[in-house]
């Protein structure tokens, strides 16, 4: 029905029961007496071992979605709705704080964008990794320290035994990100959420980090939910991608299909902007700016910036339609 919340996005194949199934996820919080609608009823699934990418501009709700699923959002006036079922564990959104703390690191782990924010500057990096093994797996102090050095070796930090005694501020940005990856994968989690893990790194270091992550998750069989604004990162790493704009998912499907045959005007604009940067052109490909979550436009939220807009776009939010099997987008131009 026109105007209804978009129906569920393409799910994983029937042969693969979802590891994570997110349904109708919404996040609202109070800002200066107004309600910020940061995430608006998004759906997606991630299969065991799958690489799922969530891409969009800053402010689109990608990181807020991940933090909501992980139970990391706090604050007065905050409301999180929907469901996030982790296989064999239940709905993460309805769990107590204690139950979530038991799952974090063991079943679901997260790599954040800024290592210096999430690594303790007063603790040696080896101790920070060892602490995870001690508290999540019950390892002895000596066994945990030995395992921490081995993990640093696995993420290709040279002279790992010596580096384990370093503090985060003594390491380069690339090394700090490797420490976070080692810490996140220490307990072999079933799902790794990587939130902009290469944003602050130069292109060469970024590519090495992605190669390392690819190698490790293949070895461990870990599923990855990769959050990024960088289409190159998502395109090179993920098998399936969803595009998010202003709190809503607007397109989703196999990554190659989304990148080569984008169906939504926003996806096409993102790809054009990325190409412009690759060509050395610094120019606004997408007109205007994303609206703040306290004042989303009516209808399709992209319509004030869309070059293909018509009257219906401003009036009503479109449903998802199949472009081809497994590839869907929510745009009035695609309606029959």
């Amino acid at each position: 029905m026109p105007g209804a919340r978009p129906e569920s996005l393409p799910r994983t194949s029937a042969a693969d029961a979802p590891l994570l199934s997110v349904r109708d996820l919404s996040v609202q919080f109070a800002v200066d007496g107004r309600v910020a609608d940061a995430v608006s009823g998004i759906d997606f699934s991630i299969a065991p071992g799958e690489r799922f990418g969530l891409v969009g501009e800053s402010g689109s709700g990608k990181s807020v979605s991940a933090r909501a699923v992980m139970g990391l959002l706090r604050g007065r006036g905050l409301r999180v709705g929907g469901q996030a079922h982790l296989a064999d564990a239940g709905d993460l959104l309805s769990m107590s704080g204690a139950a979530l703390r038991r799952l974090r690191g063991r079943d679901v782990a997260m790599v954040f964008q800024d290592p210096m924010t999430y690594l303790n500057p007063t603790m040696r990096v080896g101790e920070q990794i060892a602490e995870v093994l001690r508290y999540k797996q019950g390892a002895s102090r000596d066994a945990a320290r030995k395992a921490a050095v081995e993990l640093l070796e696995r993420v290709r930090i040279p002279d790992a035994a010596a580096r384990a005694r370093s503090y985060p501020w003594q390491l380069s940005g690339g090394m700090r990100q490797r420490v976070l990856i080692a810490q996140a994968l220490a307990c072999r989690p079933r799902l790794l959420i990587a939130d902009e893990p290469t944003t602050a790194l130069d292109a060469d270091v970024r590519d090495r980090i992605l190669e390392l992550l690819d190698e490790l998750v293949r070895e461990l069989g870990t599923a990855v939910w990769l959050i990024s604004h960088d289409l190159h990162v998502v395109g090179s790493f993920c098998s399936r991608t969803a595009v998010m704009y202003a709190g809503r998912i607007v397109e989703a499907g196999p990554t190659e299909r989304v990148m080569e045959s984008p169906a939504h005007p926003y996806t096409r604009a993102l790809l054009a902007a990325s190409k412009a940067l690759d060509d050395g052109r610094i120019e606004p490909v997408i007109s205007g700016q994303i609206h703040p979550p306290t004042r989303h436009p009516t209808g399709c939220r992209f319509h004030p910036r869309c070059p293909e807009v018509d009257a219906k776009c401003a009036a009503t939010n479109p449903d998802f339609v199949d472009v081809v099997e497994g590839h869907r987008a929510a745009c009035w131009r695609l309606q029959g």
Side-chain angles (χ1 to χ4, degrees), residues 286-304:
I286 309 176
S287 63
Q289 294 181 335
I290 192 168
H291 285 75
T294 52
R295 51 183 183 91
H296 289 305
T298 58
C300 172
R301 290 179 179 173
F302 185 59
H303 86 261

Side-chain angles (χ1 to χ4, degrees), residues 63-327:
S63 296
V64 172
S65 300
R67 282 163 172 74
V69 169
M70 288 287 283
L72 297 176
L73 296 181
R74 296 288 186 270
R76 294 182 60 184
L78 176 71
R79 289 188 294 176
V80 177
Q83 297 179 326
H85 281 276
L86 184 68
D88 304 323
D91 180 18
L92 301 176
L93 301 187
S94 63
M95 285 184 182
S96 67
L100 279 171
R101 284 191 293 273
R102 286 192 293 270
L103 283 174
R104 289 191 204 117
R106 189 188 66 192
D107 291 279
V108 184
M110 196 162 180
V111 174
F112 297 93
Q113 176 177 345
D114 182 8
M116 285 303 290
T117 301
Y118 295 96
L119 290 173
N120 187 333
T122 68
M123 284 182 66
R124 301 178 194 276
V125 295
E127 286 298 319
Q128 296 188 55
I129 298 171
E131 189 175 66
V132 173
L133 295 164
R134 289 173 58 208
Y135 286 100
K136 296 296 181 180
Q137 294 189 332
S140 68
R141 187 178 297 274
D142 287 344
R145 285 177 174 171
K146 180 180 178 182
V149 173
E150 293 172 352
L151 283 162
L152 291 175
E153 290 173 343
R154 289 180 69 185
V155 296
R156 302 177 193 161
I157 289 184
D159 198 5
R163 292 296 187 183
R165 296 191 293 273
S166 299
Y167 293 96
W169 48 268
Q170 294 176 309
L171 303 178
S172 68
M175 282 193 180
R176 288 195 293 266
Q177 197 62 276
R178 289 168 189 264
V179 170
L180 272 189
I181 292 171
Q183 189 177 45
L185 295 178
C187 297
R188 304 174 70 96
R190 292 185 288 171
L191 174 65
L192 177 69
I193 302 175
D195 186 6
E196 300 276 11
T198 60
T199 295
L201 307 176
D202 64 43
D204 289 340
V205 177
R206 177 198 68 190
D207 291 344
R208 289 199 294 271
I209 291 292
L210 288 174
E211 289 172 5
L212 171 65
L213 195 57
D214 175 76
E215 177 184 312
L216 292 172
V217 297
R218 283 181 187 276
E219 177 185 337
L220 300 175
T222 300
V224 179
W225 172 5
L226 177 65
I227 295 166
S228 182
H229 68 275
D230 190 329
L231 292 167
H232 292 297
V233 169
V234 172
S236 66
F237 190 83
C238 297
S239 59
R240 200 160 53 93
T241 294
V243 181
M244 195 167 185
Y245 182 81
R248 290 175 176 162
I249 290 176
V250 298
E251 182 166 1
T255 300
E256 184 175 3
R257 173 80 194 183
V258 171
M259 299 295 178
E260 293 185 358
S261 302
H264 196 279
Y266 177 59
T267 309
R268 290 196 290 273
L270 279 181
L271 289 164
S274 179
K275 185 178 187 306
L277 285 175
D278 288 345
D279 294 342
R281 292 180 283 121
I282 303 176
E283 56 187 51
V285 175
I286 309 176
S287 63
Q289 294 181 335
I290 192 168
H291 285 75
T294 52
R295 51 183 183 91
H296 289 305
T298 58
C300 172
R301 290 179 179 173
F302 185 59
H303 86 261
R305 307 173 69 189
C306 182
E308 303 173 37
V309 65
D310 62 25
K312 185 179 287 188
C313 304
T316 311
N317 186 44
D319 290 332
F320 276 93
V321 297
D322 289 317
V323 182
V324 296
E325 185 178 357
H327 179 195

